[in-house]
Amino acid sequence: MSSFTPDLRLHDRYVLRARIGLGGMSEVWRADDEVLHRPVAVKALAGRLAADPNLRATIQREARAAARLTHPHVTQVYDYGEATLPGGVVTPYLVMELVAGRTLADRLAGGPLAWPDALRTAGQVAAALAAAHRIGVVHRDVKPANVMLTETGAKVLDFGIAAPAGPHRPVTGPVGEPLAGTPAYFAPERLDPGPTHPAGDVYALGALLYRSLTGRPPLPVRTWDDVVDLRDRRPPVPPLRVPGLPADVADLVLACLALDPARRPTAAQVADRLGAGRPVDPPTALLPTVPPVAHPATLIERPAVAARPVPPARPEVPSNRLTGVLVAGAVVLLLALVGALVFDGRPRTPPAAAPPAAAPPPAPASSSARPAPTRAAPSSAVAEPVTARQLADRFTELLDRAEAARLIDRKTADDLRKKAAELDRGKLKDRTKRVEELHERIEDAADDDKLDGATAAALRRLLDAYDRLRGDGG
């Protein structure tokens, strides 16, 4: 029986909505943070396990380990708390980033990845592990089920059995079986008492990459007895035979799976080889938010506080995308973006015959004012693209920023960029046809919720400006 129920409010802040995951030790709920108005994931010990002080210490350890990590490929931990439920049971919980996507395990159920995709995903996981290892934290349960595939790349989940590097004896069951980990990804040396070492994570990473490339684990290890047999017999790992896979990468995977931990590369070395070293200025993504609404009658209200003036509500932008509902903050960001790209009055690439800057504000209009440019501009000094190249540049810049803000599907953005790059090619009738195709693709993307309405309107405005240019003979 679950300790938590829908509509339960934790810490007078987090309201549980629906359970989205249940494992052997923990359950994960989708919840709303009513202070910051964003969806979050709440992870708590499942059922009666919350009464076990050792397991409660485990989730506290996860909070501390993950809170020390700041990396684009590690799930963020926002908060930790303890809820006293009916019966007096104290249940610890983590409040975490709600990650939209599917696990690598779910993806691999449909077959192996194309080798470039497998290397990219493993490189991102390696970079996350390298960041953890640099601060002395070992994950100890790296496996496809703990890697989430998202629009911004892989995210390593569940530091629930993470441990500090150094002297540590594995948790054992009644017959001495280690319980901290998953047999198929468990480094054999971890069966023996000794220090927890990052090399164990690298072995698991090698097994994960091998399975991603081939669709099967490197060795038939399913139980803890199989792990013991692997340590004792030391069977060789079958060589990788993946068409197109660089030979040195195949060697790298086998090196990660070396039974001697001293012969394995570090996670940082794997990340560097796979092109995912320390991220430099990673793109900023706008996280989804939820609108502030009145509490349903079934929820416990907060204590009354002194009345304050309530500002008028900002308009909300509804969306059915996985990233959730974008509210006023996203609208403000997008309006600023559109203003910078379309209405800022300063073309990114001024034409050779651009009109001179407007006179300072104090100067009144008179008969001696500067002559108007050939194509009259609105009183708000709206700057329009004057060439197809300028249009494509602004179009692409708007797509880049919208994608970083998660306002457009990645594949849709790539498709529109490709079409925009072709606008200045061919004859006038060909350019006209391409503009019409872009209009249609924007409409289709907006209808399919792959592009938010405000971004679609800004893109249309750029195309309309180009239509006017062609009408003027530009």
Side-chain angles (χ1 to χ4, degrees), residues 8-347:
L8 177 70
R9 178 176 281 111
L10 302 173
H11 206 74
D12 198 29
R13 173 173 182 173
Y14 309 108
V15 180
L16 303 185
R17 298 305 183 193
R19 190 169 66 187
I20 57 177
L22 180 62
M25 281 182 52
S26 62
E27 55 183 324
V28 181
W29 287 74
R30 187 193 185 284
D32 290 340
D33 180 345
E34 293 197 329
V35 173
L36 296 181
H37 304 302
R38 64 182 174 185
V40 295
V42 172
K43 177 179 177 180
L45 286 178
R48 299 178 183 177
L49 297 178
D52 186 329
N54 292 327
L55 295 180
R56 287 172 58 185
T58 293
I59 201 167
Q60 287 179 326
R61 183 168 63 239
E62 173 174 7
R64 295 189 183 101
R68 296 172 63 194
L69 286 170
T70 302
H71 193 276
H73 299 300
V74 174
T75 306
Q76 289 182 276
V77 169
Y78 298 142
D79 200 358
Y80 170 84
E82 295 182 347
T84 302
L85 302 176
V89 177
V90 177
T91 300
Y93 62 89
L94 290 177
V95 181
M96 309 167 67
E97 174 186 1
L98 182 64
V99 180
R102 61 174 173 167
T103 67
L104 178 58
D106 290 338
R107 167 59 186 84
L108 292 176
L113 302 177
W115 70 261
D117 295 335
L119 300 193
R120 179 171 57 254
T121 297
Q124 293 169 351
V125 173
L129 294 175
H133 296 169
R134 280 194 293 271
I135 63 173
V137 172
V138 181
H139 189 285
R140 298 203 303 163
D141 197 19
V142 177
K143 58 185 179 182
N146 280 337
V147 176
M148 185 73 79
L149 304 178
T150 76
E151 291 183 351
T152 57
K155 292 263 191 181
V156 178
L157 312 176
D158 199 357
F159 275 74
I161 58 173
H168 175 75
R169 294 183 64 88
V171 180
T172 58
V175 295
E177 291 181 337
L179 302 179
T182 303
Y185 303 89
F186 194 90
E189 75 273 5
R190 290 181 55 198
L191 290 171
D192 302 320
T196 298
H197 196 277
D201 281 351
V202 175
Y203 181 92
L205 174 64
L208 179 148
L209 180 50
Y210 192 104
R211 184 181 171 195
S212 297
L213 289 166
T214 66
R216 63 182 185 279
L219 293 167
V221 176
R222 297 180 179 85
T223 68
W224 297 115
D225 287 338
D226 292 337
V227 179
V228 174
D229 186 60
L230 171 62
R231 180 192 59 182
D232 295 341
R233 290 197 307 111
R234 306 176 73 86
V237 176
L240 283 164
R241 290 187 172 89
V242 178
L245 181 69
D248 64 323
V249 173
D251 293 340
L252 178 69
V253 177
L254 297 182
C256 291
L257 293 167
L259 292 184
D260 181 358
R263 298 176 65 86
R264 297 173 200 153
T266 66
Q269 289 170 337
V270 176
D272 288 340
R273 174 58 191 88
L274 300 183
R278 295 189 185 187
V280 179
D281 196 18
T284 300
L286 182 68
L287 297 178
T289 58
V290 293
V293 296
H295 303 318
T298 55
L299 300 184
I300 303 172
E301 295 290 344
R302 290 189 176 85
V305 296
R308 294 181 180 178
V310 179
R314 294 174 181 243
E316 299 167 5
V317 181
S319 172
N320 293 324
R321 297 179 58 203
L322 288 175
T323 52
V325 180
L326 299 171
V327 290
V331 175
V332 172
L333 171 64
L334 187 59
L335 290 177
L337 164 66
V338 174
L341 294 178
V342 184
F343 298 102
D344 60 358
R346 299 188 304 276

Side-chain angles (χ1 to χ4, degrees), residues 375-449:
R375 186 172 60 257
S379 59
S380 57
V382 175
E384 296 180 346
V386 296
T387 68
R389 183 70 267 155
Q390 288 181 347
L391 170 66
D393 289 344
R394 293 201 199 169
F395 200 94
T396 298
E397 186 174 355
L398 177 55
L399 288 172
D400 291 343
R401 297 192 186 182
E403 184 178 355
R406 302 174 75 178
L407 302 177
I408 184 173
D409 174 77
R410 178 179 296 178
K411 291 183 178 180
T412 301
D414 289 342
D415 179 61
L416 294 178
R417 285 192 199 96
K418 182 178 179 181
K419 291 296 180 183
E422 299 172 352
L423 281 174
D424 60 343
R425 301 175 187 172
K427 299 179 180 180
L428 179 61
K429 64 177 182 180
D430 296 325
R431 299 180 186 182
T432 301
K433 183 177 179 180
R434 292 189 185 108
V435 170
E436 293 173 352
E437 289 178 350
L438 268 173
H439 270 296
E440 292 175 0
R441 288 173 185 260
I442 291 169
E443 294 297 333
D444 291 343
D447 290 343
D448 294 339
D449 286 333

